[in-house]
Amino acid sequence: MNQLLGNCTVVDARALPVKDAGVWVTDDRITAVGPYGKIARQARESGPVVERDLNGAFVTPGLVNMHTHFSLSLPGGGGNAVKDMGPHDLALYMADGARRTLDCGVTTVRNVAEKDHADFALRRAIKAGRVPGPRMYTAGRALVCTGGHGHESGDTMECDGPVGFRHGVRSQIKAGADLIKVMISGGLAGEHEAISTPQLFADEMSAVIETAHAWGRKVTAHAGPAEVIGAAVELGLDCVEHGYQLTPQVAALMAARGTALVPTLLVTRCKEFFDELGVPEWMQCRSLGAGPRHIESFRMALDAGVEILLGSDMPPFWSFEGTNATVRELENLAEHIGPERALHAGTRGPIRWLGLSDDLGTVEAGKYADLIAMDADPLDDTSAFRGVRFVMKGGVVSREDQR
């Protein structure tokens, strides 16, 4: 099937915008991008073509959210309702979240802990076309020590000692994991721990990273304190989630070793979300109280040149502060790095970390046609993503708002 998107400006994190552009899509991939007249002529000469007038929209690659949980269950009433779901209810709940995520313009996600391996079933269903949703790259269950961060839920697997953690890695890869997630410190949602609580010994962290890398999988770690993060980076950690308490020295080490940061700035500034879910006071105080240090830590990472990637932690589709969680997190990043770098952090950067640059992340010939469109220019203001009105994944249009 040939499709032609016209009357648009193409914007990505690779090159200058292409104004008065045409994007020719054949089946699931982009055939050509360029001046509309030239591209339209080529597309029409090739045979029948479905033409879509985007009415002056700005077209970018689909967004990539690198920290998602479709089965998130924080402490409190809202989280307990998810935690108490049976397997059938949970599957439908997660499928609805995947559909809503795609509608937001998020065409790829990295899931970093989901319950009971339901993520693998959802990934299969999306690939088979049975349910709409983004491309999913998932860690399965996160690995934790006995009693460690998140141990209360079915989205983690308790392990102890190097042998136990090697088994944990292999068990997730056996189930189909694309990457490994490990909890190496305490966090916001653990009542009987602190953010700074170390939770793995060096030999356990080494076992996780060594085993995962031997199987060709990257490792990302939930982590807060600088000392714990620095030790893991020295062992070859590929990515840090949150990084609440970095130091300039550890940030510099991350930059030197190529360890990325998914800062999830939302999680320490989302009282409205916590209230909606009935999150208890102890967690709200801990999370919101960590906000100033979190921003300070993030600034250290920026100053050191650490690769910053978009990730919301909050469900990517969640309605929050006038938009969805993914866009709100992107706006938070843009306050510090500007719209151009924010676009990179939400598209090309994550795709590169996932090893998918040959197929995704930019709007150019040969790539999958994962495209979104909006009325305002995201290089002028990241809030343009609040106005996404067209979503295409792999050449299939999942959202096309009438104007």
Side-chain angles (χ1 to χ4, degrees), residues 215-233:
W215 285 77
R217 304 308 197 273
K218 289 184 174 181
V219 179
T220 194
H222 162 99
E227 182 177 0
V228 170
I229 292 169
V233 171

Side-chain angles (χ1 to χ4, degrees), residues 52-403:
R52 300 180 186 277
D53 184 340
L54 294 183
N55 296 301
F58 290 81
V59 173
T60 75
L63 292 173
V64 185
N65 193 317
M66 291 286 276
H67 192 123
T68 64
H69 303 282
F70 288 140
S71 57
L72 181 69
S73 55
L74 295 176
N80 289 340
V82 177
K83 191 181 295 185
D84 293 341
M85 288 181 180
H88 310 301
D89 290 329
L90 182 65
L92 292 171
Y93 176 81
M94 291 175 66
D96 179 63
R99 174 190 59 80
R100 294 167 67 184
T101 296
L102 184 59
D103 280 349
C104 291
V106 179
T107 55
T108 302
V109 296
R110 190 185 67 164
N111 300 69
V112 286
E114 301 289 2
K115 290 180 174 50
D116 305 326
H117 286 170
D119 45 330
F120 299 121
L122 178 58
R123 185 181 63 186
R124 289 192 296 270
I126 291 171
K127 284 184 176 180
R130 290 192 293 270
V131 298
R135 302 178 192 275
M136 283 179 56
Y137 296 86
T138 186
R141 289 173 172 161
L143 306 182
V144 302
C145 67
T146 295
H149 183 72
H151 73 276
E152 308 92 342
S153 181
D155 56 11
T156 58
M157 176 180 179
E158 289 181 304
C159 311
D160 287 297
V163 172
F165 275 97
R166 288 189 191 278
H167 171 70
V169 170
R170 291 171 180 147
S171 71
Q172 299 315 297
I173 293 172
K174 177 182 177 181
D178 303 295
L179 66 140
I180 297 298
K181 166 81 174 294
V182 60
M183 311 292 205
I184 65 175
S185 78
L188 303 177
E191 186 172 7
H192 303 295
E193 64 189 26
I195 292 173
S196 58
T197 305
Q199 296 195 346
L200 267 70
F201 291 106
D203 58 352
E204 293 173 319
M205 286 193 287
S206 180
V208 171
I209 294 167
E210 181 182 19
T211 306
H213 286 178
W215 285 77
R217 304 308 197 273
K218 289 184 174 181
V219 179
T220 194
H222 162 99
E227 182 177 0
V228 170
I229 292 169
V233 171
E234 291 278 12
L235 292 169
L237 182 68
D238 301 292
C239 189
V240 172
E241 309 297 310
H242 315 304
Y244 301 118
Q245 299 170 348
L246 291 175
T247 62
Q249 294 77 16
V250 170
L253 178 65
M254 290 175 63
R257 296 296 181 89
T259 306
L261 173 65
V262 182
T264 65
L265 298 177
L266 276 179
V267 300
T268 56
R269 48 191 42 76
C270 60
K271 179 169 175 52
E272 174 188 313
F273 175 66
F274 288 156
D275 288 344
E276 184 177 354
L277 294 184
V279 170
E281 186 67 18
W282 65 262
M283 181 179 167
Q284 294 211 30
C285 288
R286 181 185 298 177
S287 299
L288 302 176
R293 181 68 175 89
H294 192 186
I295 287 291
E296 181 184 355
S297 180
F298 174 56
R299 295 296 313 179
M300 292 174 186
L302 291 180
D303 292 344
V306 174
E307 174 85 350
I308 303 298
L309 306 176
L310 168 66
S312 62
D313 201 352
M314 188 187 299
F317 56 84
W318 206 272
S319 179
F320 181 69
E321 294 186 349
T323 184
N324 58 74
T326 301
V327 171
R328 191 68 191 97
E329 176 67 12
L330 197 60
E331 291 173 333
N332 281 331
L333 295 181
E335 288 179 14
H336 301 273
I337 63 179
E340 186 173 351
R341 288 184 65 189
L343 178 63
H344 176 89
T347 56
R348 197 180 187 194
I351 289 299
R352 186 166 58 191
W353 192 95
L354 290 167
L356 304 172
S357 295
D358 288 345
D359 291 316
L360 294 164
T362 55
V363 185
E364 59 182 317
K367 301 292 182 76
Y368 283 119
D370 286 15
L371 306 168
I372 61 177
M374 63 215 76
D375 288 322
D377 186 350
L379 293 181
D380 286 340
D381 187 344
T382 299
S383 294
F385 286 101
R386 290 180 175 235
V388 168
R389 59 176 172 85
F390 175 89
V391 179
M392 170 184 280
K393 191 193 95 176
V396 177
V397 176
S398 61
R399 177 179 176 184
E400 190 171 17
D401 296 356
Q402 298 301 312
R403 297 190 63 200

Side-chain angles (χ1 to χ4, degrees), residues 5-62:
L5 309 182
N7 191 10
C8 63
T9 298
V10 172
V11 178
D12 66 21
R14 174 184 55 94
L16 292 174
V18 180
K19 298 180 180 180
D20 191 22
V23 182
W24 176 13
V25 175
T26 303
D27 297 327
D28 59 351
R29 291 187 182 261
I30 299 169
T31 301
V33 181
Y36 177 73
K38 176 183 176 181
I39 299 301
R41 183 170 61 255
Q42 292 174 344
R44 291 162 186 160
E45 289 173 353
S46 72
V49 60
V50 176
E51 301 192 28
R52 300 180 186 277
D53 184 340
L54 294 183
N55 296 301
F58 290 81
V59 173
T60 75

